[in-house]
Amino acid sequence: MKIILRNQYLSRQRFNRYLIATGNNNKRAKSLYAANIKLAQAFHPVLSQFEVVFRNALNTKLATYFRDPDWIINQKRGFMSNPILARSQFFLRSSVEKAENNLRYKSIPITAGKIISDQMFGFWLAFFVPHHYSLVSGQPIYIFPNKPSGENRTSLHQKLEDIKNYRNRMNHCEPLCFNANVIDCSHALAIRTLLYQLIDWMDPALRSYFESIDTIQSKAERIMRI
């Protein structure tokens, strides 16, 4: 991309960080910028599939708990309407109702499957927040049957929150290859390690599938060679 276009559409301030990290070497800075995009691309399949696995594991656990495959619809007037959730503005219920309204607008039949797939990562993460967690009798923790004994709701919530925050950084096109103004992929690799921890705690048999779609390590190594 020509410099005038880069400064107009990517912003000079954004690219300057790459210049600083590469000693004001324009060629290396461009390579680093492109490599950072490829690192984000590498994370996408792993993060998106982790979200699917996490979501489906929680759905299965809660469907069993409520003895209702349509719990996500029927519990709008159940635990999702408990008065103690007023402080969260009935977040879960509102999220389900928003999905239902969106389906109605598109003239798509409302089903539990459609509602489940429409929910953001934050919806499922909310089940590890105390006021939601207690209303479903702590069921969410049981999707991690292989977790170490020292891991609890609080520590799992923090790990999941870290993953969500990193995913948001990636989706907002923020750099993933810096520690301050130094080229460093240690945080990216720490998130990768964390993802595999949680995958193993859910079901170690899943690891080989994730490894088959994972190119994060090689993309990080490419960055560190720039």
Side-chain angles (χ1 to χ4, degrees):
M1 183 183 291
K2 293 181 179 180
I3 292 176
I4 189 169
L5 288 174
R6 184 183 70 209
N7 290 341
Q8 180 178 355
Y9 292 105
L10 299 181
S11 84
R12 184 187 301 272
Q13 182 180 13
R14 178 181 180 83
F15 193 72
N16 276 351
R17 190 171 183 186
Y18 294 84
L19 284 169
I20 292 169
T22 55
N24 211 38
N25 184 312
N26 190 62
K27 184 177 180 180
R28 285 183 65 208
K30 287 195 294 183
S31 294
L32 182 59
Y33 190 91
N36 182 76
I37 293 172
K38 291 185 182 298
L39 178 60
Q41 288 174 330
F43 262 105
H44 186 267
V46 179
L47 282 168
S48 63
Q49 290 303 293
F50 173 80
E51 183 172 349
V52 169
V53 167
F54 173 62
R55 175 189 76 197
N56 289 345
L58 260 178
N59 174 58
T60 297
K61 183 61 64 178
L62 292 171
T64 300
Y65 173 69
F66 289 113
R67 300 179 183 179
D68 179 7
D70 296 327
W71 69 271
I72 198 166
I73 294 173
N74 296 331
Q75 286 297 318
K76 294 197 309 293
R77 298 294 172 254
F79 85 92
M80 293 183 195
S81 292
N82 191 294
I84 72 169
L85 299 181
R87 57 184 171 177
S88 69
Q89 298 181 314
F90 300 100
F91 169 69
L92 297 180
R93 186 182 74 192
S94 297
S95 297
V96 172
E97 290 172 342
K98 180 179 178 180
E100 289 177 332
N101 289 336
N102 186 49
L103 290 172
R104 290 190 188 96
Y105 178 77
K106 296 177 180 179
S107 299
I108 297 174
I110 295 172
T111 65
K114 293 285 188 184
I115 301 298
I116 288 164
S117 63
D118 196 59
Q119 300 309 311
M120 303 294 286
F121 189 80
F123 177 90
W124 305 103
L125 177 57
F127 282 97
F128 286 83
V129 174
H131 49 275
H132 295 133
Y133 186 83
S134 62
L135 289 175
V136 293
S137 303
Q139 291 298 304
I141 203 167
Y142 296 115
I143 71 168
F144 297 106
N146 304 304
K147 71 174 183 61
S149 59
E151 295 290 336
N152 55 26
R153 181 207 62 78
T154 302
S155 62
L156 288 167
H157 178 261
Q158 185 58 60
K159 288 175 170 62
L160 292 163
E161 185 75 26
D162 290 345
I163 289 171
K164 186 194 79 168
N165 290 339
Y166 190 83
R167 190 199 66 164
N168 289 346
R169 280 177 52 81
M170 184 190 77
N171 287 344
H172 287 94
C173 304
E174 294 184 31
L176 309 177
C177 59
F178 294 125
N179 180 2
N181 287 320
V182 176
I183 300 173
D184 184 353
C185 292
S186 57
H187 183 52
L189 293 176
I191 292 295
R192 177 181 181 270
T193 297
L194 178 54
L195 283 162
Y196 277 105
Q197 273 187 339
L198 294 175
I199 290 163
D200 286 340
W201 295 351
M202 280 192 277
D203 188 341
L206 291 167
R207 175 177 275 265
S208 61
Y209 167 67
F210 278 88
E211 289 175 339
S212 73
I213 61 172
D214 178 8
T215 60
I216 295 168
Q217 183 77 41
S218 63
K219 295 301 187 291
E221 291 172 357
R222 167 75 179 94
I223 284 172
M224 298 310 298
R225 291 195 298 269
I226 292 174

